[in-house]
């Protein structure tokens, strides 16, 4: 089986895609359940890895409402567009 790319997906979508790919998305810490909502920020093994059917794919999830301060995702001003540093 090929491990699908789960990073960037909502938890629900990641579980559905993993199921379709015949692998199992699991939390890094089995004592902690995965959040019900949030975005997958890391996975192991990585996308494109070959594994046996039902192999666990460990995912890390950034839960909704617990971000890094709520700042902008993209820079407010675009960076230089050419190597000289001019726009």
């Amino acid at each position: 089986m090929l491990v699908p790319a789960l990073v960037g997906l909502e938890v629900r979508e990641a579980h559905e895609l993993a199921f379709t790919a015949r692998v199992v998305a699991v939390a890094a810490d089995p004592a902690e359940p995965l959040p019900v909502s949030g975005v997958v920020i890391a996975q192991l093994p990585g996308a494109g890895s070959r594994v046996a059917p039902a192999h666990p794919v460990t995912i890390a999830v950034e839960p909704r409402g617990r971000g890094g301060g709520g700042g902008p995702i993209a820079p407010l001003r675009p960076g230089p567009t050419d190597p000289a540093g001019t726009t």
Side-chain angles (χ1 to χ4, degrees), residues 10 14 16 24 33 39 48-50 52 57 60 71-72 76 82 84 86:
E10 288 287 329
E16 290 174 8
V24 182
V39 177
S49 298
R50 289 200 176 273
V57 176
L76 296 176
D82 68 3
T86 60

Side-chain angles (χ1 to χ4, degrees), residues 14-75:
H15 276 286
E16 290 174 8
L17 183 56
F19 179 78
T20 300
R22 299 178 57 198
V23 296
V24 182
V26 299
D29 181 357
E32 292 291 323
L34 284 172
V36 176
S37 65
V39 177
V40 177
I41 57 172
Q43 74 178 70
L44 187 66
S49 298
R50 289 200 176 273
V51 296
H55 189 81
V57 176
T58 303
I59 60 174
V61 177
E62 178 68 37
R64 291 280 180 224
R66 298 171 91 188
I73 294 172

